[in-house]
Amino acid sequence: MAPTAKKVHDGKGVGLSNPQLSSDRRRMLDLTDPFFSVQVDIDLPQIAVIGSQSAGKSSLIESISGITLPRAAGTCTRCPTECRLARVEGQWKCIISLRRLTDASGQVLGQALIEQFGQIIYNKEDVEERIRRAQRAILNPSKSAKQFLEGDDEDCDYEVSFSMNCVSLQISGPDVADLSFCDLPGLIASVSRGGNSSDIKLVESLVTQYIKKPSCIILLTVACETDFENQGAHALAKQYDSEGKRTIGVLTKPDRIPVGEELRWLPFIRNEKDSLDSGWYCVKQPGSNEIKKGITWAEARAQENEFFSMTAPWSELEAIHQKYLRTSNLVDRLSSILSDLILKRLPEIQEELSKSIFKTREALSRLPREPSEDPMNDIAALLHEFTTDLTRHIEGIPTQGGLLQSIRPFQLKFRRSIGKSAPRFQPYERRRAGTISRIRSPYFYADGSSSSEEDARTRELPGHFPFVVQQTFIDEFIKEWDHPALFLCKEVHHVLSDHIKRLVTKHFADFGQGALEQRVNIIIQGHITKCLDRAESQIRWLHAVENRPFSLNDHYLSDYKQKFLTHFKGARDRQANATAIDNINGYSPSPTSATGKNMSQPQQYGISKVLTGLAEMGITGIQAEDLARLLPSDKMEPALVIMADVRAYFQGTGLKYVADYTSPVAYKRFADNVALAIDYELVRGVNRDILKTLHTGLGINGPDGHRICKELAQESLNVSDRREELGKKLERLNTASEQLLHIGF
């Protein structure tokens, strides 16, 4: 590669030195130096130079920095170049470093790796070649930087097209401007033949990573030789700074404006077109031919001054707008804006660092516990915590959605189903039932019951019948209990399984790669299935036991038999002797005087006449309701007794006329026993020997226990990557926070 003419570096005032710049500005710029390692996490004030290809961006940077950038093979546009300029007394020098934010695979590093690339440069002629080699090292991240520093790299291909890793230049000297900025790759409009079209989006994404940050000052370069609307850098800047509050426009190559079109650019300088808060500047840099001829930077600045002073329409601009012409004015403005922004942002940076450290620590704390050196002990502790929590849920937790609360609706539904199986007796003959308000079908009639009695009577005396009659009716409703009882067991099994699966996820989901959670689920579901089998077997046993009527509740049974018998008789009496019963029930004795005699002697009828006649016969103390005993006996009374027997034994709430009766005889006994059996064998049964079952099923107590535990404890790749990422971020933030504490401002 042919070296650039040496004369370009001759003369005083290389680049833009301004000894009058405030020392406070220098101090502000120095304050941000320790924080470059966290610029991926914190929004640091910086200047990003953007522009389309051939917008004059490289020439502008050369003018500001006083060095020549490599122009061959396009390497200067393939990675960011940070320039940190400082005016100091003493010899001019340049330190070139590689600042890597990502490793060879593109993963973000915990701490930015800063590697000095070669010795300190004291001769400006050597900077261009060193930068070119540094850029090649950045674009080949898997290779040693030393290979590019010392070896012959002309034929070396690039491993990556573009990179977020930076070439960092620290330039200091007595004639250097106080400024820091970052030169970003130029935006690509199209790729050449054989090029990669994805590079267009790649470069745009790289530039966006910088300019989207609120504290980034966008230095937008626009070439005057090209239509303004065709330059994509302006549209990108507008996208992230729509109001133009942090964009500074720079018009380049004003000497190449076609004749007659100069006036169309003046509205920018006057900030009348696409106005920006900090305005638009215009600069003129030496062309490539002038650089080849050996123009010095001092001569270049003199030519620029002469151009704007002598060339219309620039020379004719109002005095108020003349300050927007020339590179020196631009640099002075950039330095002022950047130092002011740093001064404003430092307290905010301190707060942002504290918040980021807190959030990062929180994110780390939410990750599963890092695998220890003793996975067997970790798994044993998890199993103990799980079984303790399982016991708590099985015993009952006082919250909505608890296990027992979820089971209860199915228990109540089962109880109602059993209650609805009550025999539906009607104390009427079938032929007359149509005139009576019917209960739910199917139902049994008194004459049907009487027929069954007569068919079953063998050697019994008239009016006495074998117990098989009652048992036949009892069998009719008991046989219906099997299905709802087993259905309840299945529903409880589903609820229990789902609830325990959630507990397993709660305790084991974040351990290892999920193998422990999966195996615990399989073991427990098998254990639950065995409990289900035992519960169903117990239910079938309870149902078989109920096949023979039995009760030690003699008092309840006789009491409710009498209540049902009275009810059935009353219903039949109201049907057969409706007029007499109504008269008896509606009778009201006449008022009497203090002597006990009627105050008046009206003519007596009906009940009153009968009671008076009985009294005249010497039969006293008879009440109106006693007259019902004079009614003829009911031939269906034996059937009513059987019906009352059966209903008293069942005692459900299936009929409206016994809705208020409650008695713990057959159906309630069965309902309670089934619920208890399911609770004991299935719900509480799951908790019996569960810890032993898990240890045995997992095999962690066997000879291969250590190996099994180690395999189960292997952390998932996603979690380990996330842990590493957060750990590196916390390391960066803590380092920056410590450095900030030593800064006084």
Side-chain angles (χ1 to χ4, degrees):
M1 177 178 176
T4 306
K6 294 182 180 180
K7 193 177 179 182
V8 75
H9 300 301
D10 293 341
K12 298 292 183 181
V14 173
L16 290 180
S17 63
N18 185 354
Q20 304 304 317
L21 285 175
S22 170
S23 62
D24 288 341
R25 292 186 187 177
R26 177 70 262 149
R27 179 169 166 268
M28 286 298 105
L29 295 174
D30 289 341
L31 286 178
T32 60
D33 288 351
F35 304 132
F36 277 98
S37 62
V38 292
Q39 69 177 12
V40 294
D41 310 300
I42 301 296
D43 181 18
L44 293 177
Q46 61 180 327
I47 296 173
V49 186
I50 71 169
S52 301
Q53 283 188 326
S54 303
K57 185 166 57 68
S58 296
S59 297
L60 174 62
I61 292 169
E62 289 175 341
S63 177
I64 295 174
S65 63
I67 59 171
T68 302
L69 297 176
R71 296 172 181 269
T75 55
C76 63
T77 62
R78 292 186 179 271
C79 66
T81 302
E82 292 177 351
C83 295
R84 295 156 67 187
L85 313 179
R87 178 183 179 274
V88 297
E89 298 300 330
Q91 185 179 7
W92 183 96
K93 65 180 179 180
C94 175
I95 301 174
I96 298 180
S97 303
L98 308 180
R99 190 164 66 85
R100 302 184 191 273
L101 301 175
T102 62
D103 59 19
S105 63
Q107 296 294 315
V108 177
L109 298 169
Q111 283 277 17
L113 297 180
I114 301 176
E115 176 185 0
Q116 185 170 321
F117 192 70
Q119 300 296 317
I120 299 175
I121 300 174
Y122 295 99
N123 187 347
K124 297 175 184 176
E125 299 177 7
D126 300 332
V127 174
E128 179 183 355
E129 176 65 13
R130 183 77 63 81
I131 293 174
R132 185 185 68 80
R133 288 178 175 271
Q135 291 169 343
R136 283 187 175 271
I138 289 291
L139 298 173
N140 293 276
S142 69
K143 298 179 180 178
S144 170
K146 189 175 181 180
Q147 172 182 337
F148 298 93
L149 180 64
E150 300 174 352
D152 182 8
D153 64 335
E154 289 295 334
D155 297 328
C156 180
D157 294 329
Y158 301 143
E159 294 177 3
V160 294
S161 300
F162 295 89
S163 176
M164 282 292 295
N165 295 327
C166 306
V167 174
S168 179
L169 310 179
Q170 290 179 272
I171 302 173
S172 60
D175 51 4
V176 177
D178 279 311
L179 189 62
S180 295
F181 58 88
C182 184
D183 174 30
L184 298 177
L187 294 173
I188 305 172
S190 60
V191 293
S192 59
R193 186 177 181 181
N196 191 344
S197 59
S198 64
D199 286 348
I200 297 175
K201 288 292 184 183
L202 185 61
V203 173
E204 182 178 322
S205 174
L206 194 154
V207 172
T208 299
Q209 291 297 318
Y210 280 80
I211 68 173
K212 70 180 182 179
K213 297 180 179 179
S215 293
C216 178
I217 300 168
I218 304 172
L219 188 60
L220 172 64
T221 58
V222 175
C224 294
E225 63 178 346
T226 307
D227 287 342
F228 179 81
E229 291 76 12
N230 294 334
Q231 302 191 45
H234 172 256
L236 192 61
K238 196 82 172 175
Q239 181 179 346
Y240 293 97
D241 182 29
S242 58
E243 298 180 359
K245 292 186 178 299
R246 54 187 181 89
T247 302
I248 300 175
V250 182
L251 303 179
T252 63
K253 304 180 182 181
D255 52 323
R256 299 187 185 181
I257 300 176
V259 178
E261 296 184 8
E262 296 87 351
L263 293 178
R264 57 190 281 236
W265 295 99
L266 293 185
F268 289 97
I269 302 301
R270 296 190 179 105
N271 213 21
E272 297 170 348
K273 184 176 182 181
D274 285 284
S275 62
L276 304 171
D277 280 13
S278 296
W280 286 84
Y281 287 77
C282 186
V283 299
K284 178 189 175 299
Q285 310 302 338
S288 56
N289 289 333
E290 292 174 306
I291 292 176
K292 289 179 182 178
K293 291 178 181 179
I295 187 173
T296 66
W297 292 119
E299 291 171 347
R301 298 286 67 78
Q303 283 188 4
E304 180 187 41
N305 186 57
E306 180 181 357
F307 175 82
F308 286 118
S309 299
M310 305 298 294
T311 306
W314 313 105
S315 59
E316 298 172 355
L317 275 170
E318 302 84 348
I320 192 174
H321 296 129
Q322 286 292 327
K323 64 182 179 181
Y324 293 103
L325 306 177
R326 302 172 182 82
T327 308
S328 57
N329 290 333
L330 170 64
V331 174
D332 186 47
R333 180 60 175 157
L334 288 174
S335 181
S336 175
I337 290 176
L338 182 59
S339 61
D340 289 346
L341 181 58
I342 292 172
L343 180 62
K344 176 185 176 183
R345 282 280 294 144
L346 270 179
E348 298 172 357
I349 290 174
Q350 189 174 33
E351 184 178 354
E352 288 177 18
L353 277 172
S354 298
K355 289 181 178 178
S356 293
I357 289 173
F358 178 77
K359 289 180 179 179
T360 304
R361 285 175 176 166
E362 268 197 334
L364 274 170
S365 68
R366 287 194 296 268
L367 291 178
R369 286 178 297 182
E370 193 170 0
S372 70
E373 298 298 324
D374 188 6
M376 178 174 283
N377 187 57
D378 288 347
I379 292 176
L382 280 176
L383 292 175
H384 176 73
E385 292 171 4
F386 166 72
T387 53
T388 300
D389 197 19
L390 177 62
T391 300
R392 191 171 64 89
H393 280 258
I394 286 175
E395 292 303 319
I397 55 175
T399 58
Q400 185 179 9
L403 175 61
L404 301 186
Q405 290 88 332
S406 301
I407 291 175
R408 188 168 296 121
F410 296 102
Q411 292 174 331
L412 297 176
K413 182 179 178 181
F414 162 69
R415 190 170 182 270
R416 288 192 295 269
S417 296
I418 297 297
K420 290 177 182 178
S421 67
R424 296 162 174 82
F425 290 120
Q426 291 204 58
Y428 318 111
E429 290 85 353
R430 185 181 299 273
R431 60 186 176 79
R432 302 182 61 186
T435 62
I436 309 297
S437 176
R438 294 188 177 183
I439 316 298
R440 288 188 299 272
S441 179
Y443 37 82
F444 301 98
Y445 296 96
D447 53 350
S449 299
S450 178
S451 175
S452 299
E453 299 160 9
E454 289 298 330
D455 292 342
R457 191 164 68 87
T458 58
R459 297 180 181 275
E460 290 82 4
L461 294 174
H464 296 272
F465 303 96
F467 180 70
V468 70
V469 179
Q470 284 95 326
Q471 184 169 351
T472 301
F473 285 110
I474 290 173
D475 288 344
E476 286 293 324
F477 63 77
I478 285 181
K479 71 180 182 182
E480 299 179 20
W481 291 356
D482 184 58
H483 176 72
L486 292 175
F487 183 77
L488 170 64
C489 195
K490 293 289 188 184
E491 291 295 332
V492 173
H493 171 258
H494 292 152
V495 172
L496 182 64
S497 296
D498 291 342
H499 197 89
I500 293 181
K501 281 180 182 177
R502 290 193 291 271
L503 286 181
V504 170
T505 299
K506 170 186 171 183
H507 288 274
F508 301 102
D510 293 331
F511 187 85
Q513 300 186 42
L516 180 60
E517 178 190 3
Q518 182 181 11
R519 296 210 26 205
V520 168
N521 258 325
I522 292 173
I523 293 168
I524 287 185
Q525 291 306 316
H527 181 59
I528 294 175
T529 300
K530 292 179 181 178
C531 294
L532 173 64
D533 292 340
R534 289 196 296 268
E536 289 181 338
S537 177
Q538 189 69 13
I539 289 171
R540 292 188 178 95
W541 181 85
L542 288 171
H543 186 252
V545 167
E546 290 292 344
N547 285 337
R548 283 300 181 96
F550 176 81
S551 177
L552 293 177
N553 293 306
D554 297 345
H555 171 72
Y556 287 111
L557 199 60
S558 61
D559 182 39
Y560 281 90
K561 175 183 177 180
Q562 187 59 44
K563 290 179 180 178
F564 275 107
L565 184 58
T566 300
H567 170 78
F568 291 145
K569 285 183 176 181
R572 285 192 61 80
D573 286 343
R574 283 191 295 273
Q575 179 193 39
N577 304 285
T579 302
I581 295 299
D582 287 343
N583 287 331
I584 291 172
N585 292 335
Y587 171 73
S588 177
S590 301
T592 59
S593 65
T595 61
K597 296 183 178 181
N598 288 338
M599 296 175 62
S600 60
Q601 296 294 329
Q603 188 174 1
Q604 295 180 333
Y605 299 96
I607 301 301
S608 177
K609 187 175 182 179
V610 171
L611 292 176
T612 300
L614 289 173
E616 290 175 351
M617 293 172 59
I619 303 175
T620 59
I622 301 299
Q623 302 296 323
E625 53 267 26
D626 295 330
L627 298 180
R629 300 175 186 174
L630 301 178
L631 295 174
S633 62
D634 190 350
K635 67 178 181 178
M636 292 296 177
E637 185 168 347
L640 299 183
V641 172
I642 292 175
M643 293 165 63
D645 266 338
V646 175
R647 282 301 278 115
Y649 182 74
F650 178 84
Q651 187 35 43
T653 55
L655 300 178
K656 181 178 180 181
Y657 51 79
V658 292
D660 296 331
Y661 295 171
T662 56
S663 174
V665 189
Y667 108 92
K668 291 183 180 178
R669 175 179 66 204
F670 182 74
D672 286 344
N673 285 339
V674 165
L676 282 172
I678 293 173
D679 183 62
Y680 179 80
E681 296 290 357
L682 181 54
V683 181
R684 288 186 290 156
V686 170
N687 203 35
R688 283 193 291 275
D689 296 326
I690 183 62
L691 191 58
K692 179 181 178 181
T693 301
L694 288 171
H695 277 274
T696 304
L698 292 172
I700 60 177
N701 287 340
D704 295 329
H706 284 283
R707 177 187 60 79
I708 293 172
C709 290
K710 188 175 180 180
E711 291 175 356
L712 293 174
Q714 288 182 351
E715 192 171 44
S716 71
L717 188 60
N718 289 339
V719 173
S720 62
D721 288 347
R722 179 62 174 160
R723 190 190 309 281
E724 182 180 6
E725 176 190 343
L726 291 172
K728 291 177 179 179
K729 180 177 180 179
L730 186 61
E731 182 184 354
R732 292 193 303 266
L733 295 170
N734 282 330
T735 301
S737 180
E738 290 174 5
Q739 291 173 334
L740 185 61
L741 293 176
H742 296 89
I743 295 176
F745 57 90

